[in-house]
Amino acid sequence: MSNSGLNMSRRIRRTPYTDRVEAHGVTGFSVVNHMLLPKAFGRSVAEDFVHLREHVQIWDVSCQRQVEIAGPDAARLVQWMTPRDISRAVVGQCLYVPLVDEKAGMVNDPVLLKLAEDRYWLSIADSDVLLWAKGLAIGRGLDVEVDEPDVSPLAIQGPKATALMASVFGEGIRALGFFRFGMFDFRGTRQVIARTGYSRPGGFEVFLRDGALGAELWDTLWKAGERMDIAPGCPNVPDRIEAGLLSYGNEMTRANNPLECGMGKFCTNAAGIEHVGRDALARIAREGVRQRIMGIAFDGGPCPPCGKPWPVMAGGPGGPVVGQVTSAGWSPRLRRNVGLSMVARGYWDPGQRVVVASIDGALRPGEVSALPFA
Amino acid sequence: MSNSGLNMSRRIRRTPYTDRVEAHGVTGFSVVNHMLLPKAFGRSVAEDFVHLREHVQIWDVSCQRQVEIAGPDAARLVQWMTPRDISRAVVGQCLYVPLVDEKAGMVNDPVLLKLAEDRYWLSIADSDVLLWAKGLAIGRGLDVEVDEPDVSPLAIQGPKATALMASVFGEGIRALGFFRFGMFDFRGTRQVIARTGYSRPGGFEVFLRDGALGAELWDTLWKAGERMDIAPGCPNVPDRIEAGLLSYGNEMTRANNPLECGMGKFCTNAAGIEHVGRDALARIAREGVRQRIMGIAFDGGPCPPCGKPWPVMAGGPGGPVVGQVTSAGWSPRLRRNVGLSMVARGYWDPGQRVVVASIDGALRPGEVSALPFA
């Protein structure tokens, strides 16, 4: 069940790097935003985990599509979409912004890039934020353009990422702060590069404008990385779980609010800011949440991939179901499985004993953990 | 390239029928609306084509999610989303409705089910119409609820579909007209069943409400179909191409308008009806379209799957590129390949000689065909 054939079609879009990824022997894909996301290169997830934390990897994350919001009302629309206060954001800053609907349900959790006072990119997870933003704008008559530009992020992640990036884009890139971006030269073009990424070691993302440059960008970074043991990779499940990085559609859907998702720090001024979900979110904040995203550390040997949610019981077998693991993997560092689960109020304290009913029928003992994992 | 592993996760949702589909030995999936669509069961596409046109098949098309629009402003919102006049639609009717954005770009091409004067389902292709509809409604302050109910369509298609459905749901189902739906009993529940489907022989779709009934519905239909040579299936590429049925994301995207897509008959009153894309569509209609969706019949033996668009040259090799094939397959009936392509003005007359540059490097001679194929 963890691996079946993916039938290809134009609808599941290739990226400017797909040819390279195939040349590297990709063995598995996922589909995000109607686009291919490479997920395996013939090595185990555990091997990839270890490599990612020691060396440097190149990831085709073009599926993080950019929704560009530009025009006189751009800031107004972006602010209307999120409970996070963006009024003090500066050009060159990246902000993690929960997007919510009128019930304060999560619509997406993109990284916002402020390109100019009247121009923003939302670097999105797996839902059609473009249609959402465009619908809101048209409905309200806002003066903005909402579009998906030809921008294909390529991530360089791992402890050697800074050295690699400096060798290609110059020493100036070392000065780039966390969640900041700058403009850097590549083959006579100016490209957005951010110190961001979906991994615990972190690194950079090149927001390549113009897919025609994709092969050249990939090859340039690959060549510079060869002496650093560069490998093709992808977001690593146990790595990002340890880091407490959520995946939209896995850990959360529109049925979840940002307070459950551990995003309360981005909603502190929620009652004051006018956004789509303001009233609903204020009510939820008053009443308190019934569940909260937590880590689950559990035993029983390496678990299979989590293709559908696994019930979490409090105490031991036969205990009440208090959550469901929605992502899981084996951490070579902790030598345990790590997972993410919404956990019901009363059971979410770190150390709470649980049992995870994984797909292979095993009942795996473990306990609730704080995020990120220690 | 035509088949690589699909990595499973909760984000790519299973359906109420996925267990059954796996039991039948599914060998390939696609992903539509963040949900699994079975695409292969170990038989060839040509074998499936022949079976579909002689017997009956059961298809898990749960990925055709329903976007429910309900409330006092429901009809107003639905009409705002499409150039097709829905004012004379009656309860029990299904309508194929292009959805367009403010530039008259295609957002989706769902089937609309009118459940009541103030309640509609949009049975959608692959884009998040829910976010689009909700954004428009919130922006404009319309009094509607937009949601995705627990409805999972199961299609029964093929020439024996009527006999099979009558044996399960009663003889009354024979009276159901094309693109009409009725309410039928199943295990004490009332279910929407429509005479619709994404195939040339046609059939029915059961819009199952309550996923918990999925296995029982599947098993009931399967058992009744055994004496009719029922087989598990899926939308068949050459079959639906012959029928002129387009696939959103393949043949058309937001870059295409409904007039290019052969949907002019649903836009006849476009200038009069107030919808999101009215002004843009009226301008396009005045200026005339630059390309139009057409069939392409071509030779050179069975073509590989069309994973990325194939250029279409007019005349012969070296001729001008006048289109791109976005879906293609071998028709056992015509003993030729059939494909769909936008074709540039001046070259779209049936019989126009072309060459298709398919992925395997072959230059395949053929000609433009009307839709549906004769």
Side-chain angles (χ1 to χ4, degrees):
Chain A
M1 196 214 72
S2 64
N3 235 337
S4 293
L6 172 63
N7 280 49
M8 297 296 184
S9 71
R10 180 198 182 201
R11 182 174 53 75
I12 297 176
R13 298 176 287 179
R14 294 170 65 87
T15 87
Y17 317 114
T18 305
D19 286 346
R20 289 297 183 273
V21 160
E22 289 175 338
H24 280 291
V26 64
T27 52
F29 284 107
S30 189
V31 178
V32 175
N33 289 320
H34 318 281
M35 187 168 264
L36 290 171
L37 170 66
K39 284 295 287 180
F41 289 88
R43 299 180 307 274
S44 72
V45 174
E47 287 168 333
D48 271 345
F49 178 106
V50 171
H51 180 274
L52 173 61
R53 294 195 172 195
E54 292 180 358
H55 303 291
V56 63
Q57 294 186 353
I58 182 167
W59 298 357
D60 175 3
V61 288
S62 302
C63 64
Q64 293 170 199
R65 305 310 295 162
Q66 306 308 299
V67 176
E68 178 168 303
I69 299 178
D73 287 333
R76 189 172 161 213
L77 175 57
V78 173
Q79 184 62 85
W80 199 34
M81 294 169 72
T82 179
R84 182 163 184 183
D85 184 353
I86 66 153
S87 64
R88 283 183 294 273
V90 297
V91 171
Q93 190 174 354
C94 306
L95 295 91
Y96 182 59
V97 289
L99 305 185
V100 298
D101 68 12
E102 85 285 11
K103 292 171 182 153
M106 292 292 299
V107 164
N108 205 292
D109 65 328
V111 171
L112 174 71
L113 286 77
K114 182 168 179 172
L115 299 165
E117 293 301 329
D118 60 355
R119 190 157 155 263
Y120 298 82
W121 283 348
L122 291 165
S123 186
I124 61 171
D126 188 27
S127 72
D128 293 335
V129 171
L130 181 143
L131 295 179
W132 173 239
K134 199 185 262 282
L136 289 170
I138 291 172
R140 200 164 178 180
L142 297 180
D143 187 4
V144 291
E145 278 286 317
V146 179
D147 226 320
E148 181 182 299
D150 174 11
V151 173
S152 301
L154 187 63
I156 299 293
Q157 302 283 298
K160 301 177 181 172
T162 304
L164 171 52
M165 292 294 285
S167 76
V168 171
F169 295 100
E171 293 296 315
I173 209 163
R174 295 182 186 274
L176 203 56
F178 183 64
F179 262 54
R180 295 282 167 159
F181 70 84
M183 303 299 298
F184 294 84
D185 289 322
F186 181 73
R187 303 288 182 268
T189 66
R190 298 283 285 168
Q191 301 287 350
V192 170
I193 300 181
R195 196 185 282 267
T196 49
Y198 195 59
S199 78
R200 192 156 199 176
F204 298 83
E205 291 176 303
V206 184
F207 289 77
L208 179 67
R209 184 132 208 167
D210 187 358
L213 291 169
E216 197 169 356
L217 177 63
W218 177 287
D219 292 345
T220 301
L221 289 165
W222 181 267
K223 195 171 157 60
E226 277 181 328
R227 61 188 170 84
M228 302 175 192
D229 283 320
I230 192 171
C234 59
N236 183 280
V237 172
D239 171 76
R240 63 111 178 145
I241 291 172
E242 279 197 6
L245 296 169
L246 311 187
S247 164
Y248 184 75
N250 284 314
E251 280 66 69
M252 59 191 154
T253 69
R254 280 193 312 113
N256 299 111
N257 63 67
L259 302 181
E260 290 175 348
C261 298
M263 300 173 187
K265 58 183 170 293
F266 305 125
C267 306
T268 44
N269 194 23
I273 297 171
E274 198 215 343
H275 66 89
V276 169
R278 182 177 62 176
D279 295 347
L281 191 56
R283 190 178 59 248
I284 292 164
R286 274 197 312 274
E287 295 172 357
V289 297
R290 290 188 301 263
Q291 57 182 0
R292 179 186 289 174
I293 193 77
M294 298 300 296
I296 307 284
F298 59 103
D299 301 310
C303 65
C306 184
K308 55 182 172 185
W310 297 336
V312 176
M313 282 83 75
V321 174
V322 298
Q324 58 175 11
V325 168
T326 46
S327 294
W330 174 258
S331 165
R333 182 180 74 92
L334 297 173
R335 302 200 59 74
R336 302 185 75 185
N337 297 299
V338 291
L340 293 168
S341 174
M342 288 285 172
V343 179
R345 171 187 289 278
Y347 299 95
W348 64 41
D349 286 340
Q352 165 73 45
R353 285 183 51 236
V354 296
V355 169
V356 176
S358 61
I359 188 70
D360 53 5
L363 289 175
R364 297 164 176 272
E367 75 279 342
V368 172
S369 165
L371 291 175
F373 281 74
Chain B
M1 194 215 71
S2 65
N3 236 337
S4 293
L6 172 63
N7 280 47
M8 296 296 183
S9 70
R10 180 198 181 202
R11 182 174 54 73
I12 298 175
R13 299 176 287 178
R14 295 169 65 85
T15 87
Y17 317 113
T18 305
D19 286 346
R20 289 298 183 272
V21 161
E22 289 175 340
H24 280 291
V26 64
T27 52
F29 285 107
S30 189
V31 178
V32 175
N33 289 320
H34 319 281
M35 188 168 264
L36 290 171
L37 170 65
K39 285 295 287 179
F41 289 88
R43 299 180 306 275
S44 74
V45 174
E47 287 167 332
D48 271 345
F49 178 105
V50 172
H51 181 276
L52 172 63
R53 295 197 171 195
E54 293 180 357
H55 303 291
V56 63
Q57 294 187 352
I58 182 168
W59 298 356
D60 175 4
V61 289
S62 302
C63 63
Q64 293 170 199
R65 305 310 295 162
Q66 306 309 299
V67 177
E68 178 168 302
I69 299 179
D73 287 334
R76 189 172 162 211
L77 175 57
V78 172
Q79 185 62 85
W80 200 32
M81 295 168 72
T82 178
R84 182 162 184 184
D85 183 353
I86 66 154
S87 65
R88 283 184 295 274
V90 297
V91 172
Q93 191 175 354
C94 306
L95 295 92
Y96 182 59
V97 289
L99 304 185
V100 298
D101 68 11
E102 84 285 9
K103 291 170 182 154
M106 292 293 298
V107 165
N108 205 289
D109 65 329
V111 171
L112 174 71
L113 287 78
K114 181 168 180 174
L115 299 165
E117 293 301 329
D118 61 354
R119 189 156 156 263
Y120 298 82
W121 283 349
L122 292 165
S123 186
I124 62 171
D126 189 27
S127 71
D128 294 335
V129 171
L130 183 144
L131 295 178
W132 172 239
K134 200 186 263 284
L136 289 170
I138 291 172
R140 199 163 179 181
L142 297 180
D143 187 5
V144 291
E145 278 287 315
V146 180
D147 225 321
E148 181 182 297
D150 173 11
V151 172
S152 300
L154 186 64
I156 300 292
Q157 302 283 298
K160 301 178 183 173
T162 305
L164 171 52
M165 292 295 284
S167 75
V168 171
F169 295 101
E171 293 296 316
I173 210 162
R174 294 181 187 273
L176 203 57
F178 183 65
F179 261 55
R180 295 282 166 157
F181 70 85
M183 303 300 297
F184 294 84
D185 288 323
F186 183 72
R187 302 289 183 266
T189 66
R190 298 283 285 167
Q191 300 289 349
V192 170
I193 299 181
R195 197 185 280 269
T196 49
Y198 195 61
S199 78
R200 192 157 202 178
F204 297 83
E205 292 177 302
V206 184
F207 289 77
L208 180 67
R209 183 133 209 169
D210 186 0
L213 291 170
E216 198 170 356
L217 177 64
W218 178 286
D219 292 344
T220 301
L221 289 165
W222 182 266
K223 195 171 158 58
E226 277 180 328
R227 62 189 170 84
M228 302 176 191
D229 283 321
I230 192 171
C234 59
N236 183 280
V237 172
D239 170 76
R240 63 111 178 146
I241 291 172
E242 279 198 6
L245 295 169
L246 310 187
S247 164
Y248 184 74
N250 284 314
E251 279 67 67
M252 58 189 154
T253 69
R254 280 194 311 114
N256 299 111
N257 63 67
L259 303 181
E260 291 175 348
C261 298
M263 300 173 189
K265 58 183 171 293
F266 306 124
C267 307
T268 44
N269 193 24
I273 296 172
E274 196 216 346
H275 67 90
V276 169
R278 182 178 61 177
D279 295 347
L281 191 56
R283 190 178 59 249
I284 293 164
R286 273 197 312 274
E287 295 172 357
V289 298
R290 291 188 301 264
Q291 56 183 1
R292 178 187 291 175
I293 194 76
M294 297 302 295
I296 306 285
F298 59 104
D299 300 309
C303 65
C306 184
K308 55 182 173 185
W310 297 337
V312 175
M313 282 83 74
V321 174
V322 297
Q324 57 175 12
V325 168
T326 47
S327 295
W330 174 260
S331 165
R333 182 178 75 91
L334 297 172
R335 300 200 61 75
R336 301 186 76 186
N337 297 298
V338 290
L340 292 168
S341 174
M342 288 286 173
V343 179
R345 172 188 288 278
Y347 300 94
W348 64 41
D349 287 338
Q352 165 73 46
R353 284 182 52 238
V354 296
V355 169
V356 176
S358 59
I359 188 70
D360 53 5
L363 290 176
R364 296 163 176 272
E367 74 280 342
V368 172
S369 164
L371 291 176
F373 281 74

